[in-house]
Amino acid sequence: MLKGERTILRPMRRDYLERLLEFHNDVELQLLGGEDVPVPLTPEHLAERFEALYAGQSPRPSWFAIEVQGGKIIGHCMLRNIDEAARTAELRITIGDRDYINRKYGRDVVRLLVKYAFRLRNLRKVWLAVPASNERARRCFEAAGFAVEGCQRAHTWVDGRYDDRILMAAFREPPAEPAPPPAEEPNAHAPDDA
């Protein structure tokens, strides 16, 4: 369990899946993410995804249910695509309960998950992708310490049109500046009459 200022992140359990199914089958919510095509999901299919996620993957993703005071599950988040050599991971988050959207719960979750990634998983970089049209999410990520790294133009199909995909990242320590190119040395083998 990870405790933030407004939220608690609990390891994903089978008994949370029914609530997550509600979020996944909310088409408007899925359009905000822009990564996956909204298709109906059955309880059996979600259970298969749950089992597959933990079956033999190494390193294992960190998947959490987002809980607020009173024990209500309002969404889920995860670190996935963990690269142990580069010490990076992708962050995904869904605040699915509409009563908690745009009320700074997402910001609390992102900060908590990044702190977990850096402090306990010993990662150095957490990255994510967000549709350019989802300005609210971009502001949330920026407030949690993420900066834009790049843009994939017209990369994502969202609600009947192509949208840019913005890549953002947070670093445990600021990345080192690239070394300047070496100074050119005079060619010792150049002909004298050159």
Side-chain angles (χ1 to χ4, degrees), residues 7 9 66 77 93 95 105-113:
T7 58
L9 302 186
I66 303 167
C77 62
I93 177 174
I95 301 292
Y105 287 91
R107 186 180 304 180
D108 187 55
V109 170
V110 171
R111 285 181 176 150
L112 187 56
L113 197 53

Side-chain angles (χ1 to χ4, degrees), residues 1 49 52 63 68 124 137 139 142 147 165 169 174 192-193:
M1 173 179 77
R49 283 187 181 183
W63 190 13
V68 293
R124 65 173 189 82
R139 285 192 308 271
E142 287 169 352
R165 182 178 190 234
D192 291 332
D193 61 344

Side-chain angles (χ1 to χ4, degrees), residues 127-176:
W127 64 273
L128 57 87
V130 62
S133 59
N134 192 343
E135 292 182 27
R136 182 175 63 215
R138 288 175 52 197
R139 285 192 308 271
C140 169
F141 297 133
E142 287 169 352
F146 283 76
V148 172
E149 285 197 310
C151 175
Q152 294 174 307
R153 305 290 297 167
H155 185 82
T156 306
W157 180 253
V158 180
D159 200 16
R161 63 179 176 76
Y162 288 100
D163 197 357
D164 293 348
R165 182 178 190 234
I166 305 298
L167 302 175
M168 303 179 78
F171 287 86
R172 181 165 62 189
E173 298 165 0

